[in-house]
Amino acid sequence: MTSGTEGTTGARDALIALRAEVAKAVVGNDAAVTGLILALLCRGHVLLEGVPGVAKTLLVRALAAALDLETTRVQFTPDLMPGDVTGSIVYDAHSGEFSFREGPVFTNLLLADEINRTPPKTQSSLLEAMEERQVSLDGKSRPLPDPFIVVATQNPVEYEGTYPLPEAQLDRFLLKLTMPTPSREDEIGILWRHAQGFDPRNLAAAGLKPVAGAAELAVAREAVSKVTIGPEVIGYVVDLCRATRQLPSVRIGVSPRGATALLAVARAWAWLAGRDYATPDDVKALARPALRHRLDVRPEAELEGVTADGVLDRVLASVPVPR
């Protein structure tokens, strides 16, 4: 076995170990943990949606504790200003000069907590950082650290005091992961842990420690970029995305950026599963989290109960899977 193969295997083992490490604090939600790992592999951003109290923030904090990366948390509120996120120009009275003070966005893993509680002006302050991985202020572009990903949590948009994210920003999230209320068994497990003294504010006491870092991510990303993609897989991705644009219940279908995102996470999923090639089944498995937030369902269709996930279920059932 070559050293390169050993390095790749070690990186895969380290990222898989993230699941077990996060499970020390979060019961269930294996799909959400896997989605976050895929985003790390693809340099993508994640939107976590769920009602209050389903451990969205705890999940991201647990992931941060299991990663040897710099992390920052920003609580989004109605009075938060763009400069509170990106940084600002400040005057130093001692030197008599203006200098740039970095905001919390200058980190590896940014937890944007309850992002839809803040007005669109502040939400948009993340657009350049998410897409260009830089912050432009006072005529200068300042690069962000590498790796850099945003994990944003939001409450369902029908909750009072929320501002729906604009389509342009939604499209910049690689995945939208939904966190449902736990099953009865998982809820019993949650309460049992708390009865045993688990404190969600003290993850170190729960035994969480870093099991992967920037070095493993760099090796893993290089390996993911070499995962083979056959023409039939590319064709299947294109057919799925084009099908969403042809449904009368959808106002805006999946863009080419969405198709690129779906292909990227399918390759990462294949590598994480130990394969050096992606299959149409990989695409099918990731279609919902990669595409659900890129669909704009018509209001009249929503009144009839049509949802983005329902649209994708219909598309996945109607587009033939190449074999």
Side-chain angles (χ1 to χ4, degrees), residues 107-247:
T107 188
N108 297 126
L109 174 61
L110 175 67
L111 169 55
D113 215 359
E114 295 189 297
I115 190 173
N116 62 337
R117 291 260 180 223
T118 199
K121 180 179 181 180
T122 305
Q123 291 176 2
S124 65
S125 65
L126 280 176
L127 280 175
E128 182 187 18
M130 292 172 66
E131 184 66 18
E132 307 295 336
R133 302 183 186 276
Q134 66 179 22
V135 169
S136 296
L137 194 65
D138 195 31
K140 295 181 181 179
S141 296
R142 297 170 172 86
L144 295 172
D146 183 37
F148 168 74
I149 73 166
V150 175
V151 181
T153 70
Q154 72 168 9
N155 297 317
V157 293
E158 63 268 16
Y159 269 60
E160 185 177 354
T162 60
Y163 301 84
L165 295 176
E167 288 83 357
Q169 185 158 1
L170 282 172
D171 204 37
R172 282 166 171 78
F173 284 101
L174 179 76
L175 300 172
K176 178 182 177 181
L177 307 174
T178 56
M179 295 191 59
T181 53
S183 65
R184 182 177 185 274
E185 292 74 16
D186 285 343
E187 197 161 0
I188 288 174
I190 292 169
L191 295 185
W192 179 254
R193 289 191 181 192
H194 281 265
Q196 297 295 108
F198 171 70
D199 183 359
R201 292 171 292 276
N202 187 3
L203 295 180
L208 267 76
K209 60 183 184 300
V211 296
E216 288 82 6
L217 279 178
V219 172
R221 288 169 173 172
E222 177 66 23
V224 168
S225 69
K226 296 177 181 177
V227 171
T228 302
I229 298 290
E232 72 283 354
V233 175
I234 293 178
Y236 184 51
V237 170
V238 170
D239 290 343
L240 287 175
C241 295
R242 291 180 65 85
T244 66
R245 306 169 198 158
Q246 299 166 1
L247 296 175

Side-chain angles (χ1 to χ4, degrees), residues 243-251 298 300-301 314:
T244 66
R245 306 169 198 158
Q246 299 166 1
L247 296 175
S249 59
V250 176
R251 188 171 69 91
R298 294 184 183 278
E300 58 270 24
R314 178 180 171 186

Side-chain angles (χ1 to χ4, degrees), residues 11-155:
R12 183 186 293 112
D13 291 343
L15 291 172
I16 291 175
L18 278 176
R19 296 176 185 170
E21 203 66 20
V22 171
K24 293 179 180 178
V26 182
V27 177
N29 288 310
D30 290 340
V33 175
T34 301
L36 290 169
I37 293 173
L38 294 176
L40 287 167
L41 291 172
C42 298
R43 292 186 173 89
H45 312 292
V46 175
L47 184 63
L48 279 176
E49 183 178 276
V51 299
V54 292
K56 299 186 299 295
T57 302
L58 177 61
L59 173 61
V60 182
R61 289 181 55 239
L63 179 74
L67 285 169
D68 188 17
L69 297 175
E70 182 182 350
T71 62
T72 307
R73 176 179 178 270
V74 178
Q75 179 66 52
F76 279 69
T77 57
D79 60 349
L80 194 73
M81 299 299 291
D84 297 330
V85 178
T86 59
S88 56
I89 303 296
V90 296
Y91 178 73
D92 188 339
H94 295 288
S95 65
E97 297 179 351
F98 289 93
S99 61
F100 176 68
R101 178 178 294 169
E102 293 184 349
V105 75
F106 285 84
T107 188
N108 297 126
L109 174 61
L110 175 67
L111 169 55
D113 215 359
E114 295 189 297
I115 190 173
N116 62 337
R117 291 260 180 223
T118 199
K121 180 179 181 180
T122 305
Q123 291 176 2
S124 65
S125 65
L126 280 176
L127 280 175
E128 182 187 18
M130 292 172 66
E131 184 66 18
E132 307 295 336
R133 302 183 186 276
Q134 66 179 22
V135 169
S136 296
L137 194 65
D138 195 31
K140 295 181 181 179
S141 296
R142 297 170 172 86
L144 295 172
D146 183 37
F148 168 74
I149 73 166
V150 175
V151 181
T153 70
Q154 72 168 9
N155 297 317

